[in-house]
């Protein structure tokens, strides 16, 4: 199984859309895909019609078990989605209490890694949607993944969030045996606005080796697909946003081979 994380220390930049779109395209290719929702807001969980306020079991169960996770537990938490090749490891609002309730507990940064080990042969890809806050949940995502995708909205404030994210990544990389490969992906691009044009130019100037060659455009069909609870490629396989994510997926998989 290949594990990709989608993360940024700023909200509203398209993390969930990126994870669901890429996961959906992989599933369309016949890959078995696991989507992991580590964000207490539960946007990915809500996307597929589940209420993170009402779920009795979620990723939170894994953190409660911590370093003694029963091998059967991760598979018991999986939920079906609108795509037969995609399963969801859901979030719940209880995740928001982790930092406070489990402070000082050892092994908390590797809970997701240990959990995915139990599912390793069941899926081809796992995509992790992480919260926009540096804490135990984001650390878990970064520790578990072999590749990081950083969506960045094409506007000035998002560039500040990107700067913080890259700083965090550099700190985390020091504890890894090998550097973590990452791609910066400009999202919500609107070529009609100076803000979008300037932001992309600034990204390419500051991070020339890690910014993806293309952009994900503003596309209202992402919102419509979310409302319908289906992956974007099932809602409109020829939409401009879906076509852009297909280009991104081609770039990512080419580097995995």
């Amino acid at each position: 199984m290949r594990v990709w994380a989608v993360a940024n220390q700023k909200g509203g930049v398209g993390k969930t859309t990126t994870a669901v779109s890429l996961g959906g395209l992989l599933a369309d290719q016949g890959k078995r895909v696991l989507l992991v929702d580590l964000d207490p807001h539960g946007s990915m969980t809500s996307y597929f019609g589940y209420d993170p306020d009402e779920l009795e079991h979620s990723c939170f169960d894994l953190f409660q078990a911590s370093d003694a996770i029963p091998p059967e537990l991760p598979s018991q938490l999986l939920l079906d989605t609108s795509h037969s090749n995609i399963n969801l490891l859901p979030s719940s609002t209880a995740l928001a209490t982790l930092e406070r309730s489990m402070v000082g507990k050892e092994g908390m940064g590797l809970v997701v890694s240990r959990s995915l080990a139990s599912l390793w042969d069941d899926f081809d890809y796992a995509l992790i949607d992480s919260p926009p806050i540096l804490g135990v949940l984001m650390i878990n995502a970064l520790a578990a993944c072999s590749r990081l995708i950083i969506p960045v909205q094409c506007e000035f404030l998002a560039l500040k969030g990107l700067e913080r994210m890259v700083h965090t990544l550099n700190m985390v990389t020091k504890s890894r045996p090998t550097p973590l490969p990452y791609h910066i992906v400009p999202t919500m691009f609107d070529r009609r606005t100076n803000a979008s044009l300037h932001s992309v130019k600034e990204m390419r100037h500051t991070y020339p080796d890690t910014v993806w060659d293309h952009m994900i455009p503003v596309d209202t069909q992402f919102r419509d697909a979310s409302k319908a609870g289906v992956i974007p490629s099932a809602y409109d396989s020829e939409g401009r946003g879906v076509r852009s994510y297909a280009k991104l997926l081609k770039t990512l998989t080419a580097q995995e081979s």
Side-chain angles (χ1 to χ4, degrees), residues 159 162 184 200-211:
L159 296 179
L162 172 59
I184 297 169
V200 171
K201 183 179 179 180
E202 188 67 23
M203 278 185 247
R204 298 200 192 290
H205 173 75
T206 308
Y207 310 99
D209 298 326
T210 50
V211 177

Side-chain angles (χ1 to χ4, degrees), residues 13-248:
V13 297
K15 293 190 301 296
T16 300
T17 297
T18 296
V20 171
S21 295
L22 292 174
L25 289 165
L26 285 165
D28 289 342
Q29 295 175 5
K31 305 297 185 184
R32 298 166 301 168
V33 177
L34 173 64
L35 296 179
V36 182
D37 190 355
L38 290 186
D39 191 341
H41 289 108
S43 295
M44 179 184 282
T45 300
S46 299
Y47 190 108
F48 291 105
Y50 298 101
D51 187 345
D53 291 324
E54 300 294 336
L55 285 176
E56 185 176 352
H57 298 288
S58 70
C59 286
F60 185 68
D61 297 44
L62 302 174
F63 287 92
Q64 286 184 305
S66 190
D67 56 351
I69 301 169
E72 69 278 3
L73 179 59
S75 62
Q76 292 173 348
L77 299 176
L78 300 183
L79 299 176
D80 292 332
T81 71
S82 54
H83 197 298
S84 60
N85 286 343
I86 300 176
N87 284 107
L88 172 70
L89 191 52
S91 173
S92 71
T93 50
L95 285 173
T97 69
L98 275 181
E99 304 289 345
R100 182 178 67 255
S101 62
M102 300 186 180
V103 63
K105 192 173 181 180
E106 292 187 5
M108 291 296 289
L110 297 175
V111 170
V112 172
S113 295
R114 295 191 184 109
S115 301
L116 292 181
S118 300
L119 300 168
W120 204 260
D121 295 328
D122 298 330
F123 295 94
D124 300 302
Y125 286 86
L127 280 80
I128 305 172
D129 189 11
S130 68
I133 300 170
L134 177 57
V136 66
L137 292 168
M138 182 180 286
I139 292 299
N140 265 269
L142 296 179
C145 72
S146 58
R147 184 170 298 277
L148 175 65
I149 301 158
I150 308 175
V152 183
Q153 183 181 0
C154 295
E155 55 97 17
F156 175 72
L157 291 178
L159 296 179
K160 294 297 183 181
L162 172 59
E163 184 178 335
R164 291 192 297 272
M165 187 67 223
V166 172
H167 178 68
T168 295
L169 183 59
N170 289 336
M171 289 192 301
V172 170
T173 295
K174 293 177 182 178
S175 65
R176 295 176 61 103
T178 57
L180 178 60
Y182 67 95
H183 280 274
I184 297 169
V185 179
T187 60
M188 305 181 194
F189 178 75
D190 186 346
R191 65 177 64 255
R192 299 169 299 178
T193 68
N194 288 330
S196 280
L197 296 170
H198 174 75
S199 297
V200 171
K201 183 179 179 180
E202 188 67 23
M203 278 185 247
R204 298 200 192 290
H205 173 75
T206 308
Y207 310 99
D209 298 326
T210 50
V211 177
W212 182 46
D213 292 338
H214 304 281
M215 291 81 73
I216 305 297
V218 172
D219 190 343
T220 58
Q221 292 191 347
F222 289 136
R223 180 190 61 213
D224 296 337
S226 174
K227 185 177 180 180
V230 298
I231 58 172
S233 57
Y235 188 83
D236 182 1
S237 62
E238 294 302 317
R240 58 180 182 169
V242 169
R243 293 199 308 269
S244 294
Y245 274 116
K247 287 182 182 178
L248 175 59

